[in-house]
Amino acid sequence: MAKLTAFVLIMLANMLCTDASALIVTTAKEKSVEMTPQQRRGQTIYMTGKSPSGHNIQARLNDKAGSLPASLMPCVNCHKDDGKGSTEGGITAPDIRWSTLTRPYGINHKNGNTSPAYDKGTIKKAISLGLGSGGQALKQIMPRFQLSHQDMEDLIAFLTGLGNYRVSGLRENNIRIGIILGKSLAGENSSISLSARSQAVKKLLHSYFHEINLQGGIYQREIETVFIPGPENYSPQTLAKFKQTLINSQVFAFVASALGGIEKLVADFSLASGIPVIGAFSPRPATEFPLNPNIFYLLSGQTRQLSALQNFTRGQYFNQVPLTENIPKISTADNEEPVLKTVVLIEDSPEYISLQQQFTGQDTHIMLLPTNSSQKILKHNLSKLKQQHYNQVYLLTSSFNQQAFIRQAHAINWWPYVMLSGSQFGNALLSSPLKFNEKIFIALPNLPFDYKKNGIALFKQLHQKYHLQADYQNNQLLALAAAILLRQALMTTGRELTPTKLITNMETLYKFETALTRPISYGPNRRVGTSGAYVVTLDLVNKTIIPVSNWLEID
Amino acid sequence: MQEQGICKKNFPPSIPGSMLLVALWTAVLLVWPLILKANTPEKDIKVNHLMAPQEGKVSKKLQQQLDHSQHLAQLKQSGQEAQMTGQPQILIPNLTLTNELGQEVALMDDVIKDKIVVINTIFTRCTTVCPVMGIQYTRLQQLLKRRFGKEKVLEDVLLLSVSIDPLNDKPRQLKAFKNKFKGEPGWTLLTGSSANIEQLLRATGLFTADLQEHTPITLVGRVSQNTWTRLSGVGSPRPIAKLVDKLLNSPPPLAASHLHTPIEITPQQ
């Protein structure tokens, strides 16, 4: 144990050292500058139309109607993240880089008019009153923003540097890539320690990027990795501290990050900073529209896995399998087909309750389970379900409740089909009673037969060379797939890197072979790399899984 | 036409040269639209020439149309409106499209029927003008609701947003777009096959080949009344509300007239 702690400390020390040195490096040759904390707050306002201080920011279009939340029309929408502006619909949003706004000879407009150069005072009027530096009204489409005094100061501070900032995490000869590791464990002496799984992933990614650097890096830039342990818990203080760590990390992009439980925080951070997250993992990828354009998930999450299970159920499988004791004995003349009677058990916690909508509009019985119900109540509930001849159960609960369910059902001699999404699957289920043999169905977004020869070869090579850990292979392989994805995106983007270019290039990936997952595709409206799942059943005799479906693609 | 012929024949030969020139010029001016008519197929003129925009500075193309319709107005004043008219005619085909709820709909039969229709074009990834167009629509909904009452608006007015990026805009995205601006019933968003969308956009004169060239225009009219107006899609919703008011209070439309084109169009004078 002591040995392990020492090892962790050394790893941590390493990490901290690289952090410190990286912050100092800004050579005189580089014109670009780092953002101050105030400018970073201003950036958040520019990018999201929301104030980091929580103050309300309103926008008014040039008519007499009321104001709207500025988040509907943040500056970045038209002026873009580099401030150079854009043209759309015959309307050109002007270049608002500070150097352009403050040219000594002023601004030449398209119509031949000129107006004086802007200064901090006139730019405030432009933002709040819609007046140009010459006192002329700006275009109707430019919203008039109402900000608190502090927010205005922050925004101005950001604008005065716009066009001159260094791209976060990018230097002449290195790229900083961040990796958010899974939930950290509260260790002794309240020092943060990683779970064995995170440790394994960390070592693997470190070795992969090291290998890339040995081969000359990416366009002569070395990859520098910054490992960020996830928050210990989700208390507001811990989360605030974690967010500060993200801000301080100053990376170009995140890769292979475990976002489970912190999806919202990372999404907000990524939107405010413009930093992309490539190959993210989460049981609940945030893919509802409007999309967060910066986060690319590798695999489908719970909802898509459940859809796959539902598709699978509608298929032929349950008609072909002898359904002996599972079938309620309804022998009416017009009902000779074997019938599945389905019940959905959902744990009454915010994590699972939202999955309920997956089953709305269907003729399915939904039942809520308390998070920690007593055995007695559970038994009572299950007996009732048994009496009503339910023979298929969607079990949307934590791993703990899954096992409790299996135990109780077995105790009352009820062995329905159990449907689970892979994100909730714990190995403990493999030791379920044999009566459940080939009756537990799980949707998995990835299976061993997705691993291609060259992917496995790379993995083995890394393992031999860097003496990586043997356990958590699946996690390691997926992390490697995410890293390969990032490498591809960086390679296709070229040396002139910006986050926007990287995101645009990610969107064009179509059926990209990581050799460790199914082919990965993204698009303008697609942020899940492989959207679908396989269905497998548990072979409890041999303690293994048996695939029972082809790949089920879910839109 | 007869008149002109007579006019030419009866020229007294004693008239001085300068006067003759003036007369000739007048004659040319009068005959000009007829020449135009002879050269251009009538149908094209009718479909392509839309009425001038009522408000806002829009594109160059529109400005040209504006110039052209002023030119047409001048022709009218010289007593030559005949069948040649600036009245735009839009024939909306009864295409199969998909709405934001994912339902397949027949455009004329299920969606427009014979409502007063407000049409704009959007795509959900667009960050500059489309949000503003979305805001214009929600404001318009509030305005109309206040002025005519919810039921009346739902019954007679339809707000339509057509996606010009149908490959990427699936019903889900359209729904999210509507929700973002808190759109209410009475605002339908449409996507569909590229071919159908293009056909609709061409018919309404809202077609653009390039997404970035997408012009923020709001088209207001009613098929049976055959009056169409193009307005700025990023301006205040008030002019649109005024137009809707005007259309609501005009004589009742001919039933199902979208099936056959009205031939008689009353002159403005």
Side-chain angles (χ1 to χ4, degrees):
Chain A
M1 192 61 213
K3 240 184 182 175
L4 187 76
T5 325
F7 175 69
V8 169
L9 280 177
I10 290 165
M11 291 300 280
L12 264 174
N14 271 340
M15 250 176 59
L16 292 175
C17 280
T18 49
D19 270 10
S21 62
L23 286 173
I24 299 163
V25 180
T26 341
T27 54
K29 234 167 69 183
E30 286 174 300
K31 266 183 270 164
S32 41
V33 292
E34 291 270 3
M35 276 182 219
T36 64
Q38 187 185 24
Q39 286 173 328
R40 230 174 259 137
R41 289 200 300 273
Q43 186 194 24
T44 304
I45 299 171
Y46 184 90
M47 302 286 281
T48 62
K50 288 179 194 157
S51 162
S53 62
H55 284 292
N56 195 8
I57 304 180
Q58 293 280 314
R60 219 156 23 84
L61 286 165
N62 192 18
D63 55 27
K64 277 151 202 113
S67 49
L68 298 147
S71 55
L72 283 177
M73 302 168 278
C75 320
V76 70
N77 269 14
C78 301
H79 298 289
K80 300 296 163 193
D81 51 354
D82 53 9
K84 287 185 190 166
S86 63
T87 297
E88 192 171 83
I91 289 167
T92 303
D95 185 343
I96 56 160
R97 285 174 298 171
W98 196 243
S99 54
T100 317
L101 292 178
T102 56
R103 280 190 196 122
Y105 51 81
I107 295 154
N108 298 325
H109 298 284
K110 267 187 191 163
N111 58 9
N113 293 347
T114 56
S115 49
Y118 276 95
D119 56 28
K120 285 189 186 179
T122 44
I123 200 79
K124 266 186 201 171
K125 279 189 185 165
I127 296 168
S128 57
L129 302 172
L131 295 177
S133 55
Q136 80 281 18
L138 295 175
K139 272 180 204 138
Q140 195 184 24
I141 197 167
M142 166 73 187
R144 280 68 173 146
F145 293 97
Q146 295 158 315
L147 304 87
S148 75
H149 184 69
Q150 183 59 48
D151 286 338
M152 180 61 103
E153 291 300 326
D154 292 348
L155 181 59
I156 301 279
F158 172 73
L159 291 179
T160 54
L162 189 56
N164 210 19
Y165 294 119
R166 189 168 60 73
V167 177
S168 164
L170 192 70
R171 287 192 186 67
E172 195 54 30
N173 45 23
N174 88 357
I175 307 173
R176 270 166 85 93
I177 299 292
I179 296 112
I180 302 170
L181 298 167
K183 201 171 171 177
S184 61
L185 311 166
E188 291 151 39
N189 305 328
S190 78
S191 70
I192 299 159
S193 65
L194 297 172
S195 66
R197 180 163 57 184
S198 301
Q199 220 34 278
V201 166
K202 180 176 172 177
K203 283 181 91 173
L204 172 100
L205 288 173
H206 195 273
S207 59
Y208 175 68
F209 287 121
H210 188 255
E211 197 61 23
I212 289 180
N213 292 343
L214 284 183
Q215 289 163 17
I218 290 172
Y219 299 108
Q220 282 104 50
R221 281 195 184 107
E222 284 202 349
I223 294 202
E224 180 192 332
T225 44
V226 181
F227 292 93
I228 302 165
E232 290 168 38
N233 54 53
Y234 303 136
S235 71
Q237 296 96 320
T238 323
L239 288 182
K241 221 169 101 191
F242 178 70
K243 194 168 179 190
Q244 199 53 47
T245 320
L246 290 185
I247 293 171
N248 294 342
S249 66
Q250 282 293 295
V251 296
F252 176 75
F254 289 97
V255 73
S257 293
L259 305 189
I262 47 169
E263 289 92 350
K264 175 116 184 33
L265 187 147
V266 175
D268 287 347
F269 168 73
S270 150
L271 218 55
S273 61
I275 297 175
V277 184
I278 309 295
F281 301 106
S282 162
R284 284 175 301 280
T287 52
E288 66 279 7
F289 298 92
L291 271 184
N292 180 336
N294 297 353
I295 303 188
F296 292 82
Y297 294 94
L298 195 69
L299 306 171
S300 51
Q302 275 171 349
T303 48
R304 277 156 215 253
Q305 291 167 14
L306 282 179
S307 301
L309 285 174
Q310 286 169 313
N311 282 5
F312 174 72
T313 305
R314 281 192 288 272
Q316 285 300 303
Y317 185 84
F318 288 110
N319 293 340
Q320 290 161 0
V321 178
L323 284 172
T324 53
E325 78 270 25
N326 260 325
I327 289 306
K329 292 185 174 58
I330 313 165
S331 50
T332 48
D334 48 23
N335 202 347
E336 283 172 11
E337 287 280 305
V339 186
L340 279 176
K341 202 171 170 200
T342 307
V343 61
V344 182
L345 294 184
I346 303 181
E347 188 168 312
D348 195 358
S349 71
E351 216 174 308
Y352 299 103
I353 208 86
S354 60
L355 292 172
Q356 205 173 335
Q357 67 194 53
Q358 189 77 20
F359 297 92
T360 49
Q362 288 172 39
D363 204 16
T364 317
H365 179 53
I366 295 176
M367 190 171 172
L368 292 182
L369 283 183
T371 316
N372 39 9
S373 57
S374 71
Q375 297 229 355
K376 214 173 142 191
I377 296 173
L378 187 65
K379 190 172 176 183
H380 173 75
N381 284 337
L382 296 191
S383 310
K384 255 200 328 209
L385 291 175
K386 187 192 173 188
Q387 279 162 22
Q388 289 163 10
H389 301 295
Y390 283 103
N391 58 6
Q392 191 193 34
V393 180
Y394 282 89
L395 203 51
L396 313 178
T397 64
S398 63
S399 170
F400 175 78
N401 264 341
Q402 285 169 15
Q403 288 162 51
F405 170 86
I406 296 279
R407 262 199 316 274
Q408 278 304 329
H410 185 62
I412 59 166
N413 295 338
W414 182 47
W415 304 285
Y417 293 115
V418 180
M419 318 300 279
L420 297 169
S421 81
S423 308
Q424 310 153 250
F425 168 52
N427 274 340
L429 278 182
L430 278 173
S431 40
S432 304
L434 277 185
K435 278 281 187 186
F436 278 103
N437 189 26
E438 295 189 27
K439 281 198 168 170
I440 301 175
F441 292 86
I442 299 166
L444 291 173
N446 206 43
L447 277 184
F449 53 68
D450 292 328
Y451 305 148
K452 304 283 167 356
K453 243 188 223 161
N454 46 347
I456 290 291
L458 173 68
F459 185 66
K460 277 189 176 154
Q461 194 192 335
L462 288 175
H463 260 249
Q464 278 163 9
K465 192 166 169 187
Y466 295 91
H467 309 290
L468 301 180
Q469 289 168 10
D471 34 5
Y472 298 106
Q473 281 218 0
N474 199 35
N475 293 83
Q476 292 188 46
L477 283 161
L478 289 178
L480 183 57
I484 290 171
L485 189 67
L486 174 74
R487 178 181 173 274
Q488 172 73 13
L490 289 173
M491 292 297 276
T492 49
T493 308
R495 177 146 173 105
E496 295 302 315
L497 270 179
T498 64
T500 322
K501 276 192 200 167
L502 186 78
I503 289 166
T504 315
N505 269 304
M506 284 295 293
E507 282 182 351
T508 60
L509 278 184
Y510 180 70
K511 294 205 168 166
F512 170 67
E513 271 294 353
T514 60
L516 293 169
T517 56
R518 285 189 60 83
I520 303 280
S521 303
Y522 294 107
N525 285 329
R526 181 174 160 137
R527 287 294 181 274
V528 177
T530 66
S531 179
Y534 300 100
V535 177
V536 301
T537 183
L538 291 190
D539 178 350
L540 299 173
V541 181
N542 302 314
K543 307 266 184 223
T544 182
I545 54 173
I546 307 170
V548 286
S549 81
N550 289 327
W551 176 255
L552 300 166
E553 183 83 17
I554 306 293
D555 255 345
Chain B
M1 202 192 284
Q2 257 183 349
E3 231 179 33
Q4 285 152 27
I6 292 162
C7 191
K8 263 185 183 172
K9 239 187 242 168
N10 293 354
F11 268 166
S14 59
I15 282 171
S18 61
M19 279 271 280
L20 188 80
L21 213 71
V22 171
L24 246 171
W25 186 235
T26 325
V28 166
L29 252 184
L30 291 177
V31 177
W32 174 245
L34 298 173
I35 295 171
L36 204 74
K37 192 187 160 201
N39 288 344
T40 332
E42 188 185 327
K43 199 182 147 206
D44 280 0
I45 294 172
K46 278 189 172 177
V47 176
N48 289 336
H49 290 88
L50 301 168
M51 208 166 164
Q54 302 275 304
E55 186 223 50
K57 298 162 215 161
V58 198
S59 66
K60 219 175 190 176
K61 207 161 133 195
L62 259 177
Q63 193 54 47
Q64 282 167 0
Q65 277 175 6
L66 184 74
D67 294 346
H68 189 67
S69 54
Q70 275 168 356
H71 172 62
L72 289 175
Q74 276 172 7
L75 287 176
K76 267 187 208 162
Q77 276 168 9
S78 53
Q80 282 299 316
E81 53 269 328
Q83 282 135 0
M84 177 62 194
T85 159
Q87 198 80 293
Q89 189 167 330
I90 291 177
L91 297 171
I92 298 181
N94 190 23
L95 298 161
T96 306
L97 296 167
T98 311
N99 66 14
E100 80 276 10
L101 303 171
Q103 299 158 336
E104 277 210 349
V105 288
L107 184 57
M108 284 309 300
D109 295 348
D110 301 337
V111 185
I112 298 182
K113 294 168 191 164
D114 194 34
K115 290 181 182 177
I116 293 164
V117 53
V118 182
I119 308 176
N120 69 14
T121 53
I122 53 127
F123 62 108
T124 59
R125 281 185 300 135
C126 147
T127 55
T128 53
V129 290
C130 300
V132 184
M133 295 175 89
I135 290 164
Q136 187 192 48
Y137 262 31
T138 35
R139 290 243 166 105
L140 178 63
Q141 285 198 306
Q142 291 160 5
L143 254 174
L144 293 174
K145 210 165 75 181
R146 270 209 303 274
R147 198 176 293 189
F148 306 109
K150 204 174 169 183
E151 273 91 59
K152 177 81 173 156
V153 175
L154 269 180
E155 197 187 312
D156 284 335
V157 188
L158 174 75
L159 271 57
L160 212 58
S161 288
V162 183
S163 167
I164 51 171
D165 184 17
L167 287 180
N168 284 310
D169 284 342
K170 301 285 171 248
R172 249 197 307 179
Q173 279 87 352
L174 295 180
K175 201 173 162 192
F177 184 84
K178 186 175 165 182
N179 288 345
K180 194 170 158 190
F181 301 105
K182 305 202 164 61
E184 288 172 15
W187 176 10
T188 299
L189 294 96
L190 293 172
T191 182
S193 69
S194 302
N196 280 359
I197 291 283
E198 190 181 325
Q199 205 184 332
L200 172 60
L201 295 179
R202 283 195 190 279
T204 48
L206 296 170
F207 180 77
T208 37
D210 181 3
L211 285 185
Q212 303 309 319
E213 298 277 305
H214 160 225
T215 325
I217 289 176
T218 304
L219 181 70
V220 186
R222 188 184 237 170
V223 173
S224 57
Q225 282 171 323
N226 197 36
T227 46
W228 295 94
T229 313
R230 289 156 68 109
L231 299 104
S232 160
V234 292
S236 156
R238 278 171 208 282
I240 305 177
K242 258 184 220 159
L243 269 171
V244 171
D245 196 351
K246 208 172 118 191
L247 285 167
L248 270 176
N249 294 320
S250 330
L254 301 161
S257 57
H258 69 269
L259 297 176
H260 38 81
T261 332
I263 304 153
E264 269 286 312
I265 292 149
T266 45
Q268 304 257 314
Q269 280 183 336

